[in-house]
Amino acid sequence: MASRYALLPLRIFLGVTFIYAGLDKLTDPAFFADTGSGSIGEMMRGVRDGSAIPALVDLALNNPAGFGYAIAFGELAVGLGTLFGLFARLAALGGALISLSLWLTVSWQVNPYYLGNDLAYLMSWLPLLLAGAPVLSLDRLLAERRRIR
């Protein structure tokens, strides 16, 4: 019985965390600015030279506000999908891709590597990507409704 619900705490944690991260960005007007303290532009310029893929940072710097909105809405969508178990594998893939991009850019220069949290988030998404949301999820509810028909 316990193994059936084993991924539920991880799903709740990642869902709530990504919803919070997205809302935190969306409610912080300084985040979407090109320059200034707490802005996405300043953060990207600060990590550019230490990132694994500077070209990815350069792409974000072409339109920092647009990139910031994409990340914020992506985190919100991933968090909601994960928490409610709706398109759970797709949400986990989105979460893994966000975490991977943040690891390769923002936290790449963290030394030792295990102190950077984005790598841990990336690894946390993998079980959900493989298993989906088999219990207490909208995916399961929809699958059961399709079986009845």
Side-chain angles (χ1 to χ4, degrees), residues 40-113:
I40 184 75
E42 285 298 317
M43 181 175 63
M44 290 289 108
R45 277 187 284 285
V47 300
R48 187 207 178 276
D49 293 336
S51 73
I53 307 175
L56 186 59
V57 178
D58 289 338
L59 184 64
L61 284 170
N62 286 334
N63 184 355
F67 179 74
Y69 279 109
I71 290 291
F73 283 117
E75 287 173 336
L76 194 57
V78 163
L80 290 169
T82 301
L83 188 61
F84 293 109
L86 182 61
F87 305 114
R89 284 194 169 109
L90 182 61
L93 176 62
L97 291 174
I98 290 170
S99 297
L100 176 64
S101 67
L102 292 173
W103 176 55
L104 292 173
T105 56
V106 177
S107 62
W108 182 256
Q109 69 273 2
V110 174
N111 190 17
Y113 77 93

Side-chain angles (χ1 to χ4, degrees), residues 5-18:
Y5 294 95
L7 292 178
L8 193 56
L10 183 61
R11 219 177 88 204
I12 292 168
F13 169 75
L14 290 171
V16 168
T17 300
F18 270 60

